[in-house]
């Protein structure tokens, strides 16, 4: 029987309904480090709708020159705005949006949310950055350096045997590190571990020479 390959998070194509090239190019540049997972394409009003998994749109604002969001959602639409008030969120979700994500989000958190939505989940992340610095300072990195390295390689789509070969570890040692990491980050599957790695900035470029994680300073011990 053929051995199943390790599950890999699928690539998601995201269109953005935005007239400003500055905004489109800015979002592309922001997500470029995560291009193995997410691709951004423009969706102009005067052109055909691109084939995509998700479409980001700016929630309706009563301002001159701002194109309103569509009255109907032909595909999975995701509200993407600065106004994250409960009223703004509830308005878009009641209109059928598949999710609501804040424009204040850092890149890796935005990617994590988009992957969740593309996977069929309803996500609302109205984060605005308040008190995040204090939270980050108080949070301790849960993994050892070796566990961090192994987890990053899982996120890059490598099978256990590949990880063993690249780290000069036995297959049993690799499995032990994986079990330890899963327990500490409270996940039970490889796909959940991949999403945790993305959220915490461990996913690197798919190029072979760059596939190892940049181990956070506080991970080394």
């Amino acid at each position: 029987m053929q051995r199943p390959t390790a599950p890999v998070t699928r690539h998601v194509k995201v269109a953005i309904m935005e007239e400003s090239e500055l905004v489109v190019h800015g979002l592309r540049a922001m997500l470029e480090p995560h291009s193995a997972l997410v691709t951004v394409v423009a969706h102009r009003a005067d052109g055909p709708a691109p084939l995509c998994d998700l479409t980001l749109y700016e929630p309706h604002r009563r301002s001159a020159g701002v194109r309103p969001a569509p009255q109907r959602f032909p595909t999975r639409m995701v509200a993407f705005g600065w106004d994250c008030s409960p009223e703004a969120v509830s308005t878009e979700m009641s209109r059928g949006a598949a999710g609501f994500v804040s424009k204040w989000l850092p890149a890796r958190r935005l990617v994590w949310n988009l992957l969740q939505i593309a996977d069929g989940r309803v996500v609302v992340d109205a984060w605005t950055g308040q008190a995040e610095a204090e939270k980050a300072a108080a949070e301790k990195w849960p993994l050892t350096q070796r566990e961090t390295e192994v987890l990053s390689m899982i996120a890059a789509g490598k099978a256990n045997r590949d990880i063993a070969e690249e780290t000069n570890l036995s297959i049993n040692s690799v499995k032990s590190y994986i079990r330890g990491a899963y327990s500490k980050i409270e996940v039970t599957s490889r796909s959940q571990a991949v999403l945790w790695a993305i959220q915490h900035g461990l996913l690197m470029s798919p190029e072979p020479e760059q596939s190892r994680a940049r181990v956070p300073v506080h991970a080394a011990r």
Side-chain angles (χ1 to χ4, degrees):
M1 181 181 295
Q2 185 177 3
R3 185 176 181 179
T5 57
V8 179
T9 303
R10 69 186 180 93
H11 186 274
V12 175
K13 183 174 289 186
V14 180
I16 176 169
M17 294 183 66
E18 176 61 57
E19 301 298 325
S20 169
E21 290 187 11
L22 177 63
V23 174
V24 174
H25 291 315
L27 186 61
R28 279 179 177 159
M30 175 182 174
L31 299 182
E32 178 61 27
H34 307 281
S35 59
L37 295 167
V38 176
T39 297
V40 177
V41 296
H43 180 188
R44 300 194 63 83
D46 55 357
L51 294 175
C52 60
D53 301 289
L54 303 172
T55 300
L56 293 176
Y57 72 94
E58 174 77 20
H60 177 63
R61 292 181 296 172
R62 298 181 182 278
S63 303
V66 176
R67 180 161 56 92
Q71 293 304 308
R72 293 184 179 181
F73 297 140
T75 59
R76 291 184 66 76
M77 307 288 291
V78 181
F80 184 48
W82 296 111
D83 180 4
C84 301
S85 63
E87 294 80 8
V89 173
S90 62
T91 295
E92 299 311 312
M93 299 306 293
S94 66
R95 295 177 62 222
F100 189 109
V101 291
S102 167
K103 285 189 174 181
W104 297 97
L105 292 174
R108 64 175 180 269
R109 184 160 170 172
L110 175 60
V111 169
W112 186 82
N113 286 329
L114 294 177
L115 292 174
Q116 292 275 345
I117 297 170
D119 199 36
R121 297 176 178 84
V122 176
V123 174
V124 173
D125 193 341
W127 181 87
T128 59
Q130 295 180 358
E132 186 68 14
E134 295 178 8
K135 178 181 177 181
E139 184 180 76
K140 293 183 179 180
W141 188 253
L143 306 176
T144 65
Q145 185 169 359
R146 182 65 85 177
E147 288 169 343
T148 302
E149 181 183 26
V150 170
L151 185 59
S152 72
M153 297 175 79
I154 288 175
K158 296 184 182 296
N160 290 358
R161 191 164 300 279
D162 297 327
I163 297 174
E165 292 177 356
E166 293 191 27
T167 57
N168 293 319
L169 294 170
S170 70
I171 192 70
N172 287 334
S173 293
V174 169
K175 291 179 179 179
S176 178
Y177 283 120
I178 291 174
R179 285 194 299 269
Y182 282 18
S183 176
K184 290 178 180 179
I185 64 177
E186 300 182 341
V187 302
T188 58
S189 69
R190 214 171 183 93
S191 59
Q192 291 174 352
V194 170
L195 291 176
W196 190 95
I198 294 168
Q199 188 181 27
H200 291 79
L202 295 185
L203 190 65
M204 295 295 101
S205 166
E207 294 299 322
E209 67 273 15
Q210 296 177 344
S211 61
R212 298 297 183 88
R214 296 190 186 97
V215 179
V217 173
H218 49 278
R221 33 177 165 170

